[in-house]
Every structure is written in C-alpha cells, then in structure tokens.
C-alpha cells in the first residue's frame, strides 16, 4: 500500500513537515509502522499550491523518496499553505511516473492509499463509466487514477463528498458483478486548493490507518515548549496515514467509514457511505 499526508494552514517550508518530524513521511518511506509494507519505495509525489497559480505544482518520481536529491532541494526552498505528499508501494501496477500520486486535474489534487481488489477484472467496465471529455486526461494505469476520474465524472466540482460516495458505490457495484466480495479499500484525500476532504472507508470495514492532528490551541496548552506550535496559526491542520511523532495528545484516529473536512473556519467529521450513481 502507501503512506500520505495533507497539510493546510500557515505557509511553511515543505521540509518542516516532510523531513523534520521524528517519524516523517520520508522516514515512513523506509520504516512505516502501520502500513501493510514497511518500505514504500515505488515512487513518490508532492503537490503544492502557491499564490502565483490557481493550479497545483507537482513533483513526482519513480525512485524512493528517502534519497531523492530533487525532493530534498525543493523541500528546502518551497513554502506553501496547502500541500499533499505521497509515498508509494505498488499493488501491482507499473512503477512509472504517471502512476505516482498525487494526481491532478485543473485545480484538483487526489491521492489514495489502498486498492480496488480485482481491478484487472473490473478495469474496462470502470473506465467506460468515466465521462468521455475527461478520458483523454488519464495518463497512468492505476486503480487510484480511475477512482479520481470517476469522482470527477460524478460531480467532484459541485459536491466532493457526494462524488466520492458515488465513485465508491460504482466500484462496489462493478466489483460484485465480477464476484469480488470486498472490492474497495481506501484512505484518500482531495483538495481544490482551499479545502481538504479526507476519507477512510473499505467494503469489509477494516480500513487502512488514518489520523488527524489535534487543534493547535489544545496542543499549545499541552506542549508550550514546542516552538513549531507557536509559529503556526490556529487554522493549521494535518491529516496523515500514520502519526509523524509521539507527541502526547497530538493525533486522533479518523473513525471507520467517515471523512474529515478541513476548510476556512471549519474542521468537521462526518459519516461516509457509498451511494448509487445516477448519471
């Protein structure tokens, strides 16, 4: 599987989040604790927003994150108020740049940990559900990218939670038509540059790990000596596949079958369930 993080809040150097924590995402690329694999070395990606563009920038590569000099260089110089980072452990699709997360379409970014079980059986049927005008933008061969384009097809621009619910519903419907008992396993994050939606769901109700950071005000009270907490705004939020450190009170598990919403002035937890697609 994979590991990922989503950051929103005070603009910071990417290095602050990607490298400095004791169990940073770079550390997790070699020594993941809560994933199915200890090593996530089948590529990586970082996507970030800046004041200069409405669309996110991407850096993706097929090698491991732990020794990539370009990532190290970029992390020391790029500052962003919202960014995604992902380290990949392939579930069977090719190790190539177009299969590395995050995926981008216009202002949207998407990243995923998990799999569509039996994707090789379902791939044609699922791809035929994608809106024809979107189809030409697919670049890779992963189940994750197909999930992204299905969500776009089912109204991501208008209703992100509803679009993801309809995507999940169609994956489960097609999977069961092919005799797959538990078709979907996912933790995923999506953003349009201002808000983040992070989902935790699986057909068998045994989803991969996902955590959200506690409120900055609460952490300042618990840990007044941590300098980083004094330098960020109360709006700063992190959502991660696994905790970046052992700071007491810092991390909370996203419940099974739910999603976390982070936006200006909002930090909400909602139940999640697949829904039928009516298109």
């Amino acid at each position: 599987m994979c590991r990922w993080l989503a950051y929103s809040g005070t603009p910071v150097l990417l290095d602050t989040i990607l490298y400095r924590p004791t169990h940073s995402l770079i550390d997790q690329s070699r020594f993941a604790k809560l994933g199915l694999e200890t090593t996530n070395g089948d590529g990586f990606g970082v996507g970030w927003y800046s004041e200069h563009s409405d669309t996110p920038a991407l850096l993706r590569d097929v090698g491991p994150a732990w020794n990539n000099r370009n990532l190290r260089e970029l992390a020391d110089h790029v500052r962003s108020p919202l960014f995604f980072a992902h380290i990949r452990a392939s579930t069977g699709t090719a190790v190539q740049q177009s299969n590395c997360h995050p995926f981008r379409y216009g202002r949207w970014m998407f990243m995923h940990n998990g799999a569509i079980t039996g994707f090789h059986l379902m791939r044609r049927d699922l791809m035929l559900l994608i809106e024809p005008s979107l189809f030409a933008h697919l670049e890779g061969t992963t189940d994750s990218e197909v999930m992204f384009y299905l969500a776009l097809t089912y109204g991501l621009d208008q209703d992100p939670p509803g679009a993801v619910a309809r995507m999940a519903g169609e994956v489960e419907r097609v999977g069961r038509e092919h005799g797959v008992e538990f078709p979907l396993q996912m933790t995923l994050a999506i953003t349009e540059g201002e808000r983040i939606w992070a989902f935790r769901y699986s057909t068998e109700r045994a989803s991969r790990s996902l955590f959200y950071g506690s409120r900055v005000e609460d952490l300042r009270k618990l840990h007044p000596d941590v300098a980083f907490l004094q330098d960020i705004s109360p709006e700063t939020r992190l959502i991660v596949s696994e905790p970046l450190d052992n700071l007491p009170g810092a991390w909370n598990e996203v419940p099974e079958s739910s999603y976390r919403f982070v936006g200006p002035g909002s930090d909400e937890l909602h139940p999640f369930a697949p829904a039928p697609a009516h298109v």
Side-chain angles (χ1 to χ4, degrees):
M1 298 297 178
C2 309
R3 305 278 83 184
W4 58 257
L5 69 80
Y7 173 90
S8 174
T10 300
V12 295
L13 286 173
L14 271 57
D15 165 77
T16 306
I17 307 298
L18 290 183
Y19 284 90
R20 293 187 192 180
T22 54
H23 190 47
S24 69
L25 198 67
I26 304 305
D27 182 69
Q28 292 174 38
S29 66
R30 291 184 295 174
F31 307 116
K33 298 177 180 178
L34 301 180
L36 288 184
E37 297 87 6
T38 302
T39 304
N40 296 274
D42 294 329
F44 69 88
V46 179
W48 68 96
Y49 294 85
S50 73
E51 62 183 13
H52 308 297
S53 176
D54 293 332
T55 59
L58 291 182
L59 171 69
R60 300 186 296 176
D61 205 347
V62 298
W66 64 76
N67 66 355
N68 190 278
R69 295 180 65 183
N70 289 331
L71 178 61
R72 175 72 268 185
E73 180 74 12
L74 178 142
D76 284 337
H77 291 85
V78 169
R79 189 180 301 271
S80 175
L82 196 159
F83 61 88
F84 280 4
H86 185 282
I87 51 176
R88 183 172 186 242
S90 172
T91 56
T93 49
V95 178
Q96 60 192 45
Q97 191 177 81
S98 58
N99 284 346
C100 294
H101 309 222
F103 300 103
R104 174 183 61 191
Y105 179 81
R107 62 196 175 110
W108 289 95
M109 279 200 300
F110 174 103
M111 61 184 175
H112 168 234
N113 171 37
I116 296 177
T117 303
F119 181 60
H120 64 291
L121 301 173
M122 304 156 57
R123 182 183 178 197
R124 180 179 182 275
D125 290 350
L126 291 174
M127 293 183 78
L128 288 174
L129 296 173
I130 295 171
E131 165 64 38
S133 64
L134 296 170
F135 194 87
H137 296 278
L138 272 82
E139 295 184 335
T141 60
T142 64
D143 51 357
S144 302
E145 191 178 19
V146 169
M147 290 167 65
F148 180 31
Y149 278 84
L150 285 172
L152 287 163
T153 297
Y154 296 138
L156 190 62
D157 265 327
Q158 295 78 37
D159 175 17
V164 173
R166 290 185 284 274
M167 174 274 290
E170 286 300 280
V171 169
E172 291 191 332
R173 178 187 66 80
V174 173
R176 285 166 178 152
E177 287 179 355
H178 286 271
V180 180
E181 184 179 8
F182 300 120
L184 185 58
Q185 173 70 244
M186 70 178 200
T187 68
L188 65 85
I190 54 175
T191 183
E192 27 64 302
E194 296 182 5
R195 299 166 292 175
I196 296 172
W197 294 261
F199 299 80
R200 185 179 184 225
Y201 174 80
S202 62
T203 311
E204 59 183 319
R205 307 300 192 270
S207 302
R208 304 294 178 247
S209 60
L210 192 64
F211 297 83
Y212 63 93
S214 296
R215 292 180 178 273
V216 172
E217 301 98 315
D218 297 334
L219 289 174
R220 284 173 178 166
K221 294 174 184 176
L222 288 171
H223 306 285
D225 56 331
V226 177
F228 173 71
L229 297 173
Q230 311 307 316
D231 296 334
I232 57 176
S233 74
E235 294 288 308
T236 297
R237 298 288 184 269
L238 267 166
I239 305 172
V240 299
S241 291
E242 56 187 78
L244 303 183
D245 54 41
N246 297 317
L247 205 62
W251 304 102
N252 313 274
E253 187 174 24
V254 174
E256 183 70 50
S257 301
S258 66
Y259 72 92
R260 190 80 178 170
F261 169 73
V262 174
S266 300
D267 190 3
E268 305 165 1
L269 190 65
H270 297 274
F272 175 81
H278 301 291
V279 294

